[in-house]
Amino acid sequence: MAKKKGQAKKQKRTVTQGIVNILSTFNNTIINITDPQGNTLTWESGGTVGFKGTRKSTPYAAQLAAQKAARRAIQEYGLQEVEVRIKGAGAGRESALRAIYASGLKIKLIRDVTPIPHNGCRPPSKRRV
């Protein structure tokens, strides 16, 4: 297929700083690497690495997903240092963080952004018989 006339070649951009968002639920772990503005550079999850069912939620699946995402961000965008934001209470929190550190990315900041209820939901009304 021929390229359209006047269409510019897509430039490879370099991003040295970024944000790693780790969403760790009880069923899966999703690693999303963005630039400082929040535009996604690359993402991986327990499912995209090749795990199905209950194995997606294991620390090993989270570790592989984090390694793959970090490696891709380093190769394609030249990422060097990141800020890590962890959300959720799943099993893959720690192992994903360790895998990002081991992949060669410099971690500037680790922040837990798990939502915490400040008084919970409104309780159900008292039952009238």
Side-chain angles (χ1 to χ4, degrees):
M1 209 166 135
K3 202 161 78 162
K4 286 182 184 174
K5 203 174 184 181
Q7 190 176 12
K9 186 182 173 196
K10 191 174 180 187
Q11 268 195 324
K12 189 178 178 185
R13 54 181 195 143
T14 55
V15 182
T16 55
Q17 293 186 331
I19 302 168
V20 176
N21 294 295
I22 301 170
L23 172 62
S24 181
T25 65
F26 293 115
N27 295 320
N28 205 349
T29 303
I30 301 168
I31 288 91
N32 186 11
I33 301 179
T34 68
D35 62 8
Q37 287 76 43
N39 304 314
T40 298
L41 302 175
T42 178
W43 69 276
E44 293 292 333
S45 70
T48 60
V49 185
F51 291 94
K52 282 184 180 175
T54 55
R55 292 198 303 262
K56 280 195 303 187
S57 58
T58 60
Y60 182 63
Q63 178 187 336
L64 291 185
Q67 278 176 356
K68 193 173 174 186
R71 210 175 295 131
R72 202 148 111 219
I74 292 167
Q75 286 175 353
E76 290 182 21
Y77 298 98
L79 199 66
Q80 291 170 353
E81 54 181 30
V82 292
E83 177 183 312
V84 180
R85 296 180 184 166
I86 304 174
K87 184 185 271 192
R93 288 168 59 107
E94 310 257 314
S95 57
L97 185 63
R98 287 205 176 101
I100 287 165
Y101 178 73
S103 68
L105 287 173
K106 185 178 174 225
I107 297 175
K108 285 195 304 185
L109 175 81
I110 300 170
R111 179 178 286 152
D112 193 335
V113 291
T114 308
I116 299 165
H118 283 280
N119 207 4
C121 302
R122 182 175 173 169
S125 58
K126 192 149 168 46
R127 192 164 165 258
R128 294 187 292 264
V129 182

